[in-house]
Amino acid sequence: MTTLHFEDGELRAPLVDYPAGAGVIVRIEASDVSIALSRPMDVSITNRLPGEIVEIAALDPPYVRVAFNLGKTRLYALVTGESVERLALAPGLRAWVMIKAVAIAGQSLKPDRAPQPRPWPLDRTTNPAKH
């Protein structure tokens, strides 16, 4: 397994064949994202991130796209209208998004020429004056 760090947390994915520290673009399909109202504990889904619902858009029935703000990252979940009603989802609601690690693989990972990611966790011992 590989840990991918980003501004709002980390994602676990199957082994990524890029050098350590390389930037990658991760594409997560909305249909691979589930929603939980409380912190998911006893689940097999590895990636669980807290966020806030910022938009709910009705699509062709029965589908609804739910947009989450994770901080600087926006993530979408594709659910049914029934789930929106049953969970009473609404903009402003804090909830958890869940993404299976196996959903982050193959074509969803692309090399990027982005700036080098920051070290994780931040190592303050190498040069404390810069922090």
Side-chain angles (χ1 to χ4, degrees):
M1 296 290 288
T2 299
T3 301
L4 304 170
H5 300 281
F6 69 108
E7 290 178 305
D8 298 314
E10 63 184 43
L11 294 171
R12 298 281 289 154
L15 186 61
V16 174
D17 193 21
Y18 298 121
V24 295
I25 296 172
V26 177
R27 180 180 174 92
I28 298 171
E29 297 293 334
S31 58
D32 290 329
V33 178
S34 299
I35 300 171
L37 295 180
S38 59
R39 184 179 185 150
M41 298 300 285
D42 299 326
V43 296
S44 64
I45 298 175
T46 305
N47 298 300
R48 299 162 296 206
L49 302 164
E52 180 179 334
I53 296 174
V54 293
E55 180 183 5
I56 297 177
L59 306 175
D60 289 335
Y63 303 109
V64 176
R65 184 181 62 234
V66 180
F68 277 84
N69 180 359
L70 304 180
K72 293 189 175 190
T73 307
R74 181 155 297 193
L75 187 67
Y76 297 92
L78 183 65
V79 298
T80 63
E82 178 181 325
S83 291
V84 171
E85 289 179 24
R86 184 169 32 84
L87 298 174
L89 301 180
L93 180 69
R94 303 264 324 147
W96 290 76
V97 293
M98 301 182 295
I99 309 137
K100 292 177 73 170
V102 296
I104 305 170
Q107 295 180 359
S108 67
L109 293 170
K110 307 257 188 259
D112 186 7
R113 293 189 179 136
Q116 292 297 312
R118 64 186 167 94
W120 193 279
L122 188 60
D123 183 3
R124 296 183 188 279
T125 60
T126 55
N127 190 350
K130 285 189 170 182
H131 304 290

